[in-house]
Amino acid sequence: MGERLIDGFVVRATTEPEEDGAAFYEPAFRVRKAGEEYEHPHVWYATAQDIEKQSKEEALAIAEKWLERLEEVTWQGDDWNLRGI
């Protein structure tokens, strides 16, 4: 899984769910502050589509492609924002 450092945050391309054996997967991102292990529990979806037949590999490939397009990560209180998609 790919990840990038953007504005002091590590953004990781993943799938939702991450566990194997799901009926379908959606492309997603997880975010943590650089230098920390704790990932924010909220999942950001890479796309607004609900394709209920994507394999884990297909969804991860989409998330990694969208990860390349992210330009900005902001955090204020409990509000996280990913921009550039």
Side-chain angles (χ1 to χ4, degrees):
M1 291 181 226
E3 62 181 36
R4 286 185 51 212
L5 179 64
I6 305 169
D7 296 329
F9 299 96
V10 177
V11 182
R12 179 172 62 89
T14 187
T15 60
E16 181 59 30
E18 290 186 295
E19 298 79 21
D20 292 334
F24 68 95
Y25 295 86
E26 294 190 62
F29 301 118
R30 296 274 184 173
V31 179
R32 71 178 187 274
K33 290 182 183 179
E36 294 186 9
E37 295 297 315
Y38 172 78
E39 281 188 325
H40 193 279
H42 184 78
V43 174
W44 285 265
Y45 291 95
T47 60
Q49 59 187 331
D50 288 319
I51 300 175
E52 296 186 1
K53 57 186 175 231
Q54 289 181 135
S55 70
K56 187 172 185 176
E57 294 78 20
E58 290 169 328
L60 183 57
I62 292 168
E64 288 176 339
K65 188 172 194 170
W66 282 101
L67 179 62
E68 295 172 11
R69 301 173 84 179
L70 288 178
E71 298 172 349
E72 182 181 22
V73 177
T74 57
W75 178 64
Q76 293 180 327
D78 279 343
D79 292 330
W80 294 78
N81 220 343
L82 303 179
R83 291 194 184 121
I85 297 177

